[in-house]
Amino acid sequence: MRRYLGIKRFPLPWWRRDTTQNESSPLIPKAGSAKEDAEEPGHVTTDLHQTDPNDRQDNDSPVFGRVQPLYRYTFMDYFLKYFLFLCNLTFTILGLVVLGLGIWGLISKESFAQEKIGSIGTDPMLILVSLGFVLTLLCLSGCVGALRENCSLLKLFTTAVLVLITAQVLAAILAYSLQGQVGGYLRSGMLSAMVRYQDDLDLRFIVDEIQSNLQCCGAENYRDWEINIYYNCSAPGVLACGVPATCCVDPLENGTVWNSQCGVGAQQLDEFTAQSVIFLGGCLGGISRWIEQHQGLIGTVGVVVLGVQVLTLFISTRLLESIQWHKLYM
């Protein structure tokens, strides 16, 4: 059929053009070419009328009407691909480290023992395990999806990042609108940590860091430590009516030795006498003052974190679109 139809081949950019002049070159006319040119239109017309109807259907095929375009990856596509891969690989490793620390903490404290399994829901190490698992799963899908150009994994990663951004924005709005109730939740959490101060090493570490850094004692004042069974005045031990050493104004003797008994009997002292030994103010007020003093820094960090997530969403969406166009025109 091709010898009856003059089908033109569309030259591609990488084809080498023939610049030599031969007998078929338009610059060298053939002998008798004028006569053949005069006879050619009629000859072609006659042949076209004699073609089979099936050939006419082939002529109307899209293959003869257009040439399928080619989509090639640009430098920016490759840059976004490997940038997304490296970023997700870094956070995947970070997520595995956090997950490992959380599991190690639960195992070392024997949190899965029968007598402790009931309170595992309030274990701080469970937060590390959950955070590490989610971070690893999310970033691993983005890492493998970018490297293998897997549209399903990239769609899963993009959807998860979008849900995460939405949840963070809603949580910030909710926390701002419920500032009064947030204080109540902080007080309940602080009192719960004080109750389990001697039983959970992680909660003990958190409470000690808060009291020593903010120079406070208890939730609202130093007498809140009576809620702990070891520091209650009815307790039989040496810690009765006392407070932890991190409540002391100067827990170090001569600046070198840690005095763990500096808070013994502090609850029996009046405020005027106790202020020279321990911090009287509660940690809830200290936390509120710290937030007010560093609200600019907190806002900047929040905007940067949110901006990074939005940028990641944009990169993954752009890469997903490029991969889909490339697979469509392969």
Side-chain angles (χ1 to χ4, degrees):
M1 182 177 64
R2 286 188 175 182
R3 54 192 188 90
Y4 296 108
L5 297 177
I7 302 176
K8 183 178 179 180
R9 297 180 64 187
F10 292 90
L12 296 176
W14 55 84
W15 284 2
R16 182 177 298 175
R17 297 182 180 181
D18 188 9
T19 58
T20 59
Q21 296 182 0
N22 48 32
E23 294 182 357
S24 61
S25 174
L27 299 180
I28 305 177
K30 285 185 177 182
S33 59
K35 182 178 179 180
E36 292 179 359
D37 292 341
E39 296 175 356
E40 189 175 11
H43 176 72
V44 173
T45 306
T46 306
D47 289 341
L48 287 175
H49 285 293
Q50 294 176 358
T51 54
D52 189 74
N54 294 329
D55 292 341
R56 290 198 186 99
Q57 295 178 0
D58 293 340
N59 295 339
D60 297 333
S61 176
V63 177
F64 296 95
R66 63 181 179 88
V67 176
Q68 192 175 20
L70 296 176
Y71 183 85
R72 291 180 171 273
Y73 285 138
T74 62
F75 172 78
M76 183 57 66
D77 293 333
Y78 284 112
F79 174 77
L80 294 179
K81 172 183 176 180
Y82 290 106
F83 178 77
L84 186 64
F85 165 72
L86 292 176
C87 289
N88 281 283
L89 179 62
T90 303
F91 282 101
T92 299
I93 297 174
L94 179 62
L96 289 174
V97 172
V98 174
L99 179 62
L101 288 176
I103 295 176
W104 173 79
L106 290 176
I107 294 176
S108 62
K109 296 190 306 179
E110 299 180 354
S111 299
F112 297 103
Q114 186 175 2
E115 61 274 9
K116 296 182 179 180
I117 194 68
S119 60
I120 194 174
T122 58
D123 197 314
M125 286 299 172
L126 194 63
I127 299 177
L128 292 182
V129 172
S130 303
L131 180 62
F133 177 76
V134 172
L135 185 63
T136 301
L137 186 63
L138 175 61
C139 294
L140 188 61
S141 63
C143 179
V144 177
L147 183 64
R148 302 297 299 172
E149 299 181 2
N150 191 305
C151 293
S152 299
L153 289 178
L154 283 178
K155 289 179 181 179
L156 175 64
F157 174 75
T158 304
T159 304
V161 172
L162 182 60
V163 171
L164 185 61
I165 292 174
T166 306
Q168 290 175 348
V169 173
L170 292 178
I173 296 174
L174 190 63
Y176 182 78
S177 59
L178 300 176
Q179 295 182 16
Q181 298 183 17
V182 171
Y185 293 142
L186 286 177
R187 184 178 184 278
S188 299
M190 187 72 182
L191 292 176
S192 299
M194 291 168 60
V195 169
R196 300 176 54 196
Y197 178 80
Q198 297 288 350
D199 302 325
D200 195 312
L201 295 179
D202 295 321
L203 291 177
R204 181 174 183 174
F205 173 78
I206 294 173
V207 172
D208 286 343
E209 286 296 313
I210 293 175
Q211 292 189 147
S212 59
N213 291 325
L214 298 180
Q215 297 182 352
C216 56
C217 187
E220 294 180 348
N221 55 65
Y222 67 100
R223 298 188 185 278
D224 290 336
W225 277 105
E226 191 176 0
I227 197 174
N228 186 281
I229 59 174
Y230 299 98
Y231 293 108
N232 191 282
C233 291
S234 60
V238 67
L239 299 178
C241 275
V243 294
T246 51
C247 288
C248 296
V249 176
D250 186 16
L252 299 177
E253 293 182 355
N254 299 324
T256 56
V257 181
W258 179 268
N259 183 11
S260 60
Q261 304 295 324
C262 63
V264 173
Q267 295 184 44
Q268 295 176 339
L269 303 176
D270 58 274
E271 294 186 358
F272 181 79
T273 307
Q275 67 181 354
S276 61
V277 180
I278 61 174
F279 301 112
L280 302 182
C283 293
L284 294 180
I287 293 175
S288 300
R289 288 190 298 270
W290 186 89
I291 293 176
E292 291 177 359
Q293 294 173 0
H294 299 84
Q295 58 183 356
L297 178 62
I298 295 173
T300 302
V301 172
V303 170
V304 170
V305 171
L306 189 63
V308 170
Q309 294 175 359
V310 172
L311 180 62
T312 303
L313 181 64
F314 169 76
I315 292 175
S316 58
T317 305
R318 175 69 175 83
L319 180 61
L320 180 61
E321 182 182 1
S322 300
I323 293 173
Q324 289 175 340
W325 276 101
H326 181 70
K327 290 184 177 182
L328 181 63
Y329 291 112
M330 283 183 61

